[in-house]
Amino acid sequence: MDRRFRILNSKRIGLALSGGGVRGLAHIGVIKALSDAGIQPEIIAGVSVGSIIGAGLAAGMDWRGLATMARSVFWPNLLHGGYLERFCAKHFPETFSELILPFAAVATVIPERRALTITDGHLASAISASCSIPYLRRPVAREGQRLVDGGVACVMPSVTCRELGAEFIISSDVWEYSSLLRTLGCEPSHHQHHRFYPQHYRLALHHTHLHIHPSIPLKGYIPGRAAIERLIAVGEDAARRMLYEWPVGDKKR
């Protein structure tokens, strides 16, 4: 195991945090397992809920700080754009330039449905745009563009990590749709099943070296402290399992 991590840490590691609503709290457990293994990502990219967790990590929070932040809020409140921006202003720096690590939030430009990587300017509005779920919230106006949830065009931002200079990309994948398909036996690598997955997701997997896919229990959807702890635990378990199974070298999993 030590040799595996020495090899991994010789590369510039990027961490891609997918969208997935409250399921994204499992990202905290993934970060905990990586930290315990001595793995420190140097580049962070997040979509939707992943942009919230990713901004906290890029701002210098460890998994404990992220967990404390998660426990401090009733997560359904973050569906409201104004509340979300106030939450970001409370916990994060005002601008991207004040972050400790390179960070990108991914949103979707409409009507083109084009992924937009945001790496500068006002941080809270970028996160708000990345989390702006269509039909539940109005698009976010930012720099002359109308932006909605990044998951519409790019649900897992491993390509963004690559574009920012990452050499080894770890993706934490809590997207509900991909989990449902896998539960039904549809794997994205299968020659007949891959068509059920959008192209941007298949591309994200192609650029991922270590794919961590927590299995989220139904109890994780129930708002409250117990659900938060449960989601963090399943993320940690999934990451530990993948780290243990990851082969020496640069082979993708």
Side-chain angles (χ1 to χ4, degrees):
M1 291 291 287
D2 288 343
R3 184 185 173 204
R4 293 178 184 182
F5 298 145
R6 284 198 300 271
I7 293 172
L8 196 156
N9 279 320
S10 68
K11 301 178 181 295
R12 196 175 190 203
I13 299 171
L15 179 61
L17 302 173
S18 81
V22 70
R23 297 162 61 91
L25 293 173
H27 291 322
I28 300 173
V30 171
I31 292 166
K32 179 181 187 298
L34 295 178
S35 177
D36 289 347
I39 298 170
Q40 301 297 328
E42 297 180 59
I43 294 170
I44 315 295
V47 171
S48 197
V49 65
S51 71
I52 300 174
I53 304 300
L57 184 62
M61 293 184 187
D62 61 10
W63 75 267
R64 294 179 182 84
L66 292 169
T68 298
M69 179 185 73
R71 298 180 190 116
S72 72
V73 62
F74 182 64
W75 277 79
N77 286 345
L78 299 186
L79 294 173
H80 185 278
Y83 189 99
L84 174 58
E85 292 208 21
R86 290 191 294 273
F87 175 86
C88 292
K90 176 181 178 181
H91 291 282
F92 308 142
E94 183 177 355
T95 65
F96 280 83
S97 62
E98 298 171 76
L99 296 172
I100 295 172
L101 294 174
F103 169 67
V106 178
T108 300
V109 181
I110 57 170
E112 301 96 314
R113 297 173 65 91
R114 170 175 56 85
L116 176 68
T117 299
I118 307 173
T119 58
D120 57 17
H122 189 245
L123 182 60
S125 67
I127 294 173
S128 181
S130 186
C131 296
S132 184
I133 302 173
Y135 309 114
L136 290 182
R137 282 184 51 197
R138 295 177 180 176
V140 173
R142 193 176 191 275
E143 298 182 359
Q145 295 176 309
R146 297 174 67 236
L147 307 176
V148 297
D149 193 293
V152 173
C154 172
V155 76
M156 192 166 68
S158 54
V159 174
T160 302
C161 285
R162 174 75 73 187
E163 292 171 346
L164 294 180
E167 299 170 317
F168 188 99
I169 299 167
I170 301 171
S171 292
S172 179
D173 180 4
V174 296
W175 190 31
E176 188 171 26
Y177 179 72
S178 67
S179 295
L180 175 61
L181 286 180
R182 285 180 168 88
T183 299
L184 297 174
C186 295
E187 293 292 334
S189 59
H190 192 278
H191 70 283
Q192 291 183 337
H193 299 162
H194 76 277
R195 68 181 185 276
F196 295 115
Y197 293 83
Q199 183 179 7
H200 62 77
Y201 182 78
R202 300 197 307 269
L203 182 63
L205 288 177
H206 177 74
H207 284 275
T208 294
H209 298 89
L210 187 65
H211 182 222
I212 300 171
H213 190 255
S215 179
I216 308 297
L218 289 176
K219 291 181 179 179
Y221 290 88
I222 302 172
R225 176 70 174 266
I228 292 172
E229 305 307 324
R230 191 175 293 112
L231 286 166
I232 292 173
V234 298
E236 180 182 2
D237 289 346
R240 290 189 187 282
R241 184 172 61 254
M242 288 307 301
L243 288 171
Y244 182 79
E245 295 175 357
W246 174 65
V248 174
D250 202 30
K251 184 179 178 181
K252 296 180 181 179
R253 290 288 301 196

